[in-house]
C-alpha cells in the first residue's frame, strides 16, 4: 500500500529515532495554541472524573497530556516505543495524578479487554494506514470502548479551508460518517511558532520543503500558521 510505503520511507525514521522524535514533539508543541481540541472534546463527549481513557496511536502524548488531568486511568498505545518514551516523560512532569501505562501496540490489535474504557481516542495516526486498515482500527476502538470513541485527523495544514488532504483520507472520512455512523465537526488547531525561522525549520522537517514554502506565504506576523482538524465521535456503550 502507498500509505505503508510512505510510512516506512518518510515517517518511520522520525517516529523510531530518539533525536527525530524530539524535533517532531517540538512541532506538535506549537499546535492548537488556542486550546480548541480540549474544548471540542468536552463539548461532544462526557468525560467524567472516573473515566478510563485509552489513547490509540498516542505518539508523544499530544492528546494524553490533555486528558491525563481529567481522567482516573490512562492507557497509551503506539507502534513506536521512542514516541511513547517521550509521552511518558511529559506525563510524569505534567499536571495529572491518574495512573497511566504505555505499551507498544498496533492500532488494529490493542491489548485491552472488551468494553474496558469510557473513552477511546485516536489522533493523526490513521493517515499512515490504508482505508480498510484504518476501519479495522476503528472497529478495535469500538470493541474496547464502553462509552465514546473519538477520532481526530488532519483536514489540511497551512490552509484555512478544511478539506481531506488526500483521496485515501477523503474515502476514510466518508465511510466514517456513512457506514460507521460517526458525527463530525471541524476545528482550527493552528500552530504558533516562536519565530519565522522556527516555523520554516519545523514545517520543512516534517511536511517537506514545498509545504514549508506554502506555510511561510500564509504565516501571520505573530507566527501563527492555520491548520484544520476533523473530529469524529460516536457513542458505542
Amino acid at each position: 500500500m502507498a500509505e505503508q510505503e510512505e510510512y516506512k520511507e518518510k515517517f518511520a525514521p522520525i517516529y523510531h529515532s530518539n533525536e527525530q522524535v524530539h524535533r517532531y514533539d517540538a512541532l506538535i508543541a506549537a499546535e492548537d495554541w488556542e486550546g480548541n481540541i480540549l474544548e471540542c472534546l468536552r463539548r461532544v463527549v462526557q468525560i467524567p472524573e472516573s473515566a478510563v481513557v485509552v489513547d490509540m496511536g498516542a505518539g508523544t502524548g499530544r492528546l494524553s497530556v490533555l486528558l491525563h488531568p481529567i481522567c482516573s486511568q490512562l492507557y497509551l498505545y503506539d507502534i513506536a516505543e521512542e514516541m511513547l518514551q517521550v509521552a511518558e516523560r511529559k506525563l510524569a512532569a505534567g499536571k495529572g495524578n491518574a495512573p497511566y501505562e504505555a505499551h507498544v501496540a498496533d492500532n488494529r490489535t490493542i491489548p485491552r479487554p472488551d468494553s474496558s474504557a469510557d473513552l477511546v481516542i485516536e489522533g493523526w495516526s490513521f493517515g499512515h494506514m490504508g482505508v480498510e486498515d484504518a476501519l479495522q482500527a476503528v472497529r478495535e476502538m469500538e470493541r474496547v470502548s464502553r462509552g465514546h470513541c473519538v477520532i481526530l485527523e488532519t483536514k489540511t495544514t497551512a490552509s484555512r479551508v478544511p478539506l481531506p488532504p488526500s483521496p485515501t483520507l477523503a474515502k476514510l472520512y466518508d465511510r466514517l460518517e456513512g457506514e460507521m455512523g460517526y458525527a463530525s465537526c471541524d476545528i482550527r488547531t493552528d500552530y504558533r511558532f516562536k519565530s519565522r525561522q522556527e516555523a520554516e525549520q519545523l514545517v520543512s522537517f516534517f511536511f517537506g520543503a514545498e509545504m514549508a514554502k506554502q506555510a511561510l506565504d500564509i504565516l501571520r506576523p505573530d507566527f501563527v500558521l492555520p491548520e484544520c482538524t476533523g473530529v469524529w465521535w460516536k457513542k458505542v456503550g
Side-chain angles (χ1 to χ4, degrees):
M1 286 186 180
E3 294 79 14
Q4 292 175 341
E5 291 304 315
E6 183 184 43
Y7 180 86
K8 291 177 183 177
E9 293 178 8
K10 180 178 179 180
F11 295 108
I14 296 173
Y15 298 158
H16 296 273
S17 162
N18 288 320
E19 179 183 353
Q20 301 297 345
V21 160
H22 286 284
R23 293 185 69 189
Y24 167 78
D25 194 55
L27 171 69
I28 66 165
E31 188 181 26
D32 189 34
W33 75 280
E34 295 177 299
N36 291 328
I37 292 174
L38 187 57
E39 179 184 343
C40 177
L41 292 177
R42 284 176 159 155
R43 186 172 69 249
V44 302
V45 300
Q46 293 182 346
I47 310 174
E49 292 182 0
S50 60
V52 175
V53 174
V54 167
D55 186 357
M56 291 172 49
T60 59
R62 181 72 186 84
L63 297 174
S64 286
V65 169
L66 290 178
L67 294 167
H68 189 216
I70 58 173
C71 70
S72 67
Q73 286 182 288
L74 176 63
Y75 296 89
L76 295 74
Y77 298 95
D78 198 276
I79 200 168
E81 184 176 6
E82 295 82 357
M83 303 268 274
L84 291 174
Q85 289 172 350
V86 175
E88 287 186 281
R89 287 195 288 271
K90 289 163 64 175
L91 290 171
K95 299 178 181 179
N97 296 313
Y100 59 86
E101 297 179 15
H103 301 280
V104 175
D106 187 292
N107 278 341
R108 295 165 295 181
T109 53
I110 297 300
R112 291 288 304 162
D114 294 356
S115 304
S116 59
D118 301 289
L119 172 63
V120 182
I121 193 165
E122 176 278 338
W124 303 282
S125 67
F126 288 170
H128 299 316
M129 309 170 74
V131 173
E132 295 304 327
D133 283 342
L135 291 175
Q136 183 179 342
V138 174
R139 295 183 187 99
E140 185 71 346
M141 294 177 73
E142 295 183 2
R143 178 189 69 79
V144 172
S145 180
R146 62 187 176 216
H148 286 90
C149 294
V150 176
I151 297 164
L152 292 91
E153 288 292 340
T154 183
K155 281 282 192 83
T156 65
T157 301
S159 173
R160 299 182 182 89
V161 181
L163 293 170
S166 72
T168 297
L169 284 175
K171 292 177 184 176
L172 174 62
Y173 299 165
D174 284 345
R175 292 182 68 177
L176 283 175
E177 296 166 19
E179 68 185 77
M180 301 300 289
Y182 279 72
S184 68
C185 68
D186 297 321
I187 60 173
R188 289 284 291 271
T189 52
D190 297 0
Y191 297 84
R192 187 172 190 179
F193 297 101
K194 297 176 183 177
S195 66
R196 186 176 179 85
Q197 181 183 24
E198 182 188 62
E200 180 178 15
Q201 290 175 345
L202 292 178
V203 173
S204 178
F205 154 71
F206 190 72
F207 294 105
E210 184 176 342
M211 175 66 81
K213 183 180 183 300
Q214 181 181 341
L216 291 179
D217 288 342
I218 200 172
L219 193 71
R220 289 184 356 197
D222 57 354
F223 315 122
V224 169
L225 178 68
E227 179 182 73
C228 300
T229 293
V231 183
W232 291 262
W233 68 94
K234 178 180 177 180
K235 191 174 188 330
V236 298

